[in-house]
Amino acid sequence: MKRLSILLASILLVFTAALPVYAAIEVHSFDNIEQEETFQELTATLRCPKCQNNTIGDSEAPLAQDMRQKVYDMLQQGKEKQDIVDYMIARYGNFVTYEPPVMLSTIILWLGPLLFIAIGFTVLVMRSRRTTVTDNTEQTVDLDEQEAQRLKSLLAEMEQAENKDDKVKR
């Protein structure tokens, strides 16, 4: 029984390891090298809407496969690179490009990091100034005679308490 289960596990492992062989491989034939280079460049620069941070050339999502096929078809029809990018933007939105154009709807993407740095720098400067002002005011405070006497007596009491604690610990 043990041999049979080992044999079945081995067969299952072999078939599982062989599954990637059945994956579809896209093969495209191009009329010239420029077309192939344009295809490679477009698939490396257009973003997959489903995978979000993969290019359509890196993604195996069905949507990315459809987008690659559309790029190939449009190149075969003689479309220019910019025409293909414009089509993809019209179909999937500005998200398919890694550098969306500066528009009212994307202004936060462009100005957000600068605004974040400016706010952070302002907070940092304000906090450093506040600390400096606080330190200076503490150094210039004068105590009247009664407060100075009370401070001396409190310090003396603290020293006595520390001395007693030291004796107890020994």
Side-chain angles (χ1 to χ4, degrees):
M1 186 67 176
K2 187 175 182 179
R3 284 185 178 172
L4 180 62
S5 47
I6 290 174
L7 179 66
L8 288 176
S10 299
I11 291 171
L12 181 64
L13 181 64
V14 168
F15 283 120
T16 304
L19 282 177
V21 172
Y22 294 106
I25 298 174
E26 295 179 19
V27 178
H28 299 290
S29 59
F30 296 95
D31 296 336
N32 54 43
I33 294 175
E34 290 83 23
Q35 247 185 3
E36 184 174 0
E37 288 174 354
T38 304
F39 178 81
Q40 296 299 331
E41 185 179 337
L42 283 170
T43 58
T45 58
L46 292 173
R47 185 187 327 212
C48 174
K50 182 171 180 154
C51 302
Q52 297 196 2
N53 208 22
N54 284 350
T55 64
I56 62 172
D58 294 337
S59 175
E60 289 301 320
L63 180 59
Q65 292 172 356
D66 292 345
M67 290 174 75
R68 284 193 299 267
Q69 185 61 43
K70 187 63 178 178
V71 168
Y72 174 75
D73 292 342
M74 291 178 81
L75 282 173
Q76 293 301 313
Q77 294 170 5
K79 301 283 184 177
E80 295 295 319
K81 179 180 167 184
Q82 191 58 45
D83 294 334
I84 297 170
V85 171
D86 291 341
Y87 171 82
M88 293 295 179
I89 289 173
R91 173 116 183 176
Y92 300 104
N94 286 323
F95 183 78
V96 296
T97 60
Y98 280 101
E99 294 181 13
V102 178
M103 316 173 15
L104 189 58
S105 61
T106 61
I107 198 77
I108 191 71
L109 296 174
W110 291 101
L111 295 181
L114 296 175
L115 187 63
F116 182 73
I117 290 171
I119 290 171
F121 184 73
T122 303
V123 168
L124 186 65
V125 168
M126 296 299 286
R127 288 195 63 163
S128 66
R129 284 187 180 175
R130 185 181 317 149
T131 304
T132 306
V133 169
T134 304
D135 290 344
N136 289 341
T137 56
E138 288 178 5
Q139 292 175 359
T140 59
V141 172
D142 291 330
L143 300 176
D144 64 1
E145 191 63 36
Q146 184 181 10
E147 289 174 334
Q149 199 65 323
R150 183 162 186 247
L151 180 60
K152 287 180 186 177
S153 66
L154 286 173
L155 288 172
E157 287 177 21
M158 286 177 58
E159 283 182 24
Q160 289 175 358
E162 286 177 7
N163 290 338
K164 286 181 185 177
D165 288 342
D166 288 341
K167 289 179 184 178
V168 170
K169 288 181 182 177
R170 290 182 196 173

